[in-house]
Short mmCIF file of all heavy atoms in Angstrom, two decimals:
data_model
loop_
_atom_site.label_atom_id
_atom_site.label_comp_id
_atom_site.label_asym_id
_atom_site.label_seq_id
_atom_site.Cartn_x
_atom_site.Cartn_y
_atom_site.Cartn_z
N LEU A 8 9.26 -82.30 91.12
CA LEU A 8 10.25 -83.20 90.55
C LEU A 8 11.55 -82.47 90.25
O LEU A 8 11.55 -81.35 89.76
CB LEU A 8 9.70 -83.80 89.25
CG LEU A 8 8.39 -84.60 89.37
CD1 LEU A 8 7.89 -84.97 87.99
CD2 LEU A 8 8.61 -85.83 90.21
N ALA A 55 -7.44 -87.31 71.11
CA ALA A 55 -6.39 -86.84 70.20
C ALA A 55 -6.43 -87.65 68.90
O ALA A 55 -6.32 -87.10 67.80
CB ALA A 55 -5.02 -86.96 70.86
N ALA A 65 -0.95 -80.89 62.86
CA ALA A 65 -0.05 -80.29 63.85
C ALA A 65 0.04 -78.79 63.60
O ALA A 65 0.20 -78.34 62.47
CB ALA A 65 1.33 -80.92 63.76
N GLY A 76 -16.59 -78.79 82.99
CA GLY A 76 -15.17 -78.89 83.31
C GLY A 76 -14.48 -80.11 82.74
O GLY A 76 -13.40 -80.01 82.16
N LEU A 81 -10.53 -82.63 79.11
CA LEU A 81 -10.21 -83.77 78.25
C LEU A 81 -10.01 -83.34 76.80
O LEU A 81 -9.14 -83.85 76.10
CB LEU A 81 -11.33 -84.81 78.33
CG LEU A 81 -11.46 -85.54 79.67
CD1 LEU A 81 -12.78 -86.29 79.75
CD2 LEU A 81 -10.29 -86.50 79.89
N ALA A 100 -22.25 -66.62 77.20
CA ALA A 100 -22.40 -65.19 76.94
C ALA A 100 -22.66 -64.44 78.24
O ALA A 100 -23.57 -64.76 78.99
CB ALA A 100 -23.55 -64.95 75.98
N PHE A 102 -22.96 -61.14 77.94
CA PHE A 102 -23.61 -59.95 77.42
C PHE A 102 -25.10 -60.21 77.25
O PHE A 102 -25.52 -61.33 77.04
CB PHE A 102 -23.02 -59.56 76.05
CG PHE A 102 -21.52 -59.46 76.06
CD1 PHE A 102 -20.75 -60.49 75.56
CD2 PHE A 102 -20.90 -58.35 76.60
CE1 PHE A 102 -19.37 -60.41 75.57
CE2 PHE A 102 -19.52 -58.25 76.60
CZ PHE A 102 -18.75 -59.29 76.09
N ALA A 127 -19.78 -77.39 72.98
CA ALA A 127 -20.80 -78.33 73.45
C ALA A 127 -22.11 -78.02 72.73
O ALA A 127 -22.33 -76.90 72.27
CB ALA A 127 -20.98 -78.20 74.96
N PRO A 132 -25.86 -72.92 69.35
CA PRO A 132 -26.56 -71.78 68.73
C PRO A 132 -25.81 -70.46 68.86
O PRO A 132 -25.95 -69.58 68.00
CB PRO A 132 -27.89 -71.74 69.51
CG PRO A 132 -28.07 -73.12 70.05
CD PRO A 132 -26.69 -73.60 70.36
N VAL A 135 -22.44 -70.93 66.22
CA VAL A 135 -22.63 -71.14 64.77
C VAL A 135 -22.44 -69.85 63.98
O VAL A 135 -21.79 -69.85 62.92
CB VAL A 135 -24.00 -71.78 64.49
CG1 VAL A 135 -24.37 -71.64 63.02
CG2 VAL A 135 -24.00 -73.25 64.88
N SER A 155 -17.90 -89.11 70.88
CA SER A 155 -18.87 -90.09 71.36
C SER A 155 -18.19 -91.39 71.76
O SER A 155 -17.26 -91.86 71.09
CB SER A 155 -19.91 -90.37 70.27
OG SER A 155 -20.67 -91.52 70.58
N ARG A 169 8.26 -79.88 70.67
CA ARG A 169 9.49 -79.35 71.27
C ARG A 169 9.13 -78.34 72.37
O ARG A 169 8.06 -77.75 72.35
CB ARG A 169 10.33 -78.67 70.20
CG ARG A 169 10.74 -79.57 69.04
CD ARG A 169 11.28 -78.76 67.89
NE ARG A 169 10.26 -77.81 67.40
CZ ARG A 169 10.48 -76.90 66.45
NH1 ARG A 169 11.68 -76.79 65.89
NH2 ARG A 169 9.52 -76.08 66.07
N PHE A 178 -5.86 -65.99 76.14
CA PHE A 178 -6.34 -64.64 75.92
C PHE A 178 -6.64 -63.97 77.25
O PHE A 178 -7.22 -64.56 78.15
CB PHE A 178 -7.58 -64.64 75.01
CG PHE A 178 -7.22 -64.65 73.55
CD1 PHE A 178 -6.79 -65.83 72.95
CD2 PHE A 178 -7.25 -63.50 72.79
CE1 PHE A 178 -6.42 -65.86 71.62
CE2 PHE A 178 -6.87 -63.50 71.46
CZ PHE A 178 -6.46 -64.69 70.87
N THR A 192 4.32 -71.23 75.54
CA THR A 192 5.03 -72.40 75.02
C THR A 192 5.06 -73.49 76.10
O THR A 192 4.79 -73.24 77.28
CB THR A 192 6.47 -72.06 74.62
OG1 THR A 192 7.22 -71.74 75.80
CG2 THR A 192 6.50 -70.88 73.64
N ALA A 194 7.74 -74.80 77.19
CA ALA A 194 8.82 -74.41 78.11
C ALA A 194 8.34 -73.37 79.11
O ALA A 194 8.69 -73.42 80.29
CB ALA A 194 10.01 -73.88 77.31
N PHE A 203 6.18 -71.87 90.67
CA PHE A 203 5.17 -71.54 91.70
C PHE A 203 4.76 -72.75 92.54
O PHE A 203 4.17 -72.59 93.61
CB PHE A 203 3.96 -70.80 91.11
CG PHE A 203 2.98 -71.62 90.31
CD1 PHE A 203 2.12 -72.52 90.92
CD2 PHE A 203 2.85 -71.42 88.95
CE1 PHE A 203 1.19 -73.23 90.20
CE2 PHE A 203 1.92 -72.12 88.20
CZ PHE A 203 1.08 -73.04 88.83
N HIS A 239 2.81 -81.74 87.90
CA HIS A 239 3.52 -82.00 89.15
C HIS A 239 2.76 -82.89 90.13
O HIS A 239 3.05 -82.90 91.32
CB HIS A 239 3.89 -80.66 89.81
CG HIS A 239 4.80 -79.83 88.97
ND1 HIS A 239 6.12 -80.16 88.74
CD2 HIS A 239 4.58 -78.69 88.26
CE1 HIS A 239 6.67 -79.26 87.94
NE2 HIS A 239 5.76 -78.37 87.63
N VAL A 257 -20.44 -73.34 99.10
CA VAL A 257 -20.09 -74.63 98.51
C VAL A 257 -18.58 -74.77 98.35
O VAL A 257 -18.03 -75.88 98.43
CB VAL A 257 -20.82 -74.82 97.16
CG1 VAL A 257 -20.26 -73.87 96.09
CG2 VAL A 257 -20.71 -76.26 96.68
N THR A 263 -13.73 -78.61 103.03
CA THR A 263 -13.97 -79.40 104.24
C THR A 263 -14.12 -80.88 103.91
O THR A 263 -13.49 -81.75 104.53
CB THR A 263 -15.24 -78.91 104.96
OG1 THR A 263 -15.03 -77.56 105.39
CG2 THR A 263 -15.57 -79.78 106.15
N GLN A 290 -20.96 -74.32 111.39
CA GLN A 290 -21.07 -75.63 112.04
C GLN A 290 -20.71 -76.77 111.09
O GLN A 290 -20.37 -77.86 111.53
CB GLN A 290 -22.48 -75.82 112.58
CG GLN A 290 -22.89 -74.80 113.63
CD GLN A 290 -24.35 -74.93 114.02
OE1 GLN A 290 -25.03 -75.90 113.67
NE2 GLN A 290 -24.86 -73.94 114.76
N ILE A 307 -5.73 -56.51 95.78
CA ILE A 307 -5.97 -57.22 97.04
C ILE A 307 -6.12 -56.22 98.17
O ILE A 307 -5.26 -55.34 98.36
CB ILE A 307 -4.80 -58.18 97.33
CG1 ILE A 307 -4.67 -59.21 96.20
CG2 ILE A 307 -5.00 -58.88 98.67
CD1 ILE A 307 -3.42 -60.05 96.29
N GLN A 313 -8.30 -60.07 106.06
CA GLN A 313 -8.33 -60.12 107.53
C GLN A 313 -9.71 -60.52 108.03
O GLN A 313 -9.84 -61.35 108.93
CB GLN A 313 -7.91 -58.77 108.11
CG GLN A 313 -7.80 -58.79 109.63
CD GLN A 313 -7.17 -57.52 110.19
OE1 GLN A 313 -6.61 -56.73 109.44
NE2 GLN A 313 -7.25 -57.35 111.50
N SER A 316 -10.29 -64.21 107.32
CA SER A 316 -9.50 -65.02 108.25
C SER A 316 -10.14 -65.04 109.64
O SER A 316 -10.26 -66.09 110.27
CB SER A 316 -8.08 -64.47 108.31
OG SER A 316 -7.32 -65.17 109.27
N LEU A 340 1.63 -67.29 84.32
CA LEU A 340 0.69 -67.15 85.44
C LEU A 340 1.34 -66.37 86.57
O LEU A 340 1.15 -65.19 86.70
CB LEU A 340 0.21 -68.53 85.92
CG LEU A 340 -0.68 -68.49 87.18
CD1 LEU A 340 -1.93 -67.68 86.94
CD2 LEU A 340 -1.04 -69.90 87.63
#
Side-chain angles (χ1 to χ4, degrees):
L8 301 173
L81 291 167
F102 308 101
V135 164
S155 167
R169 301 166 300 175
F178 275 77
T192 68
F203 75 72
H239 298 290
V257 70
T263 296
Q290 299 173 11
I307 300 171
Q313 185 171 348
S316 176
L340 175 60

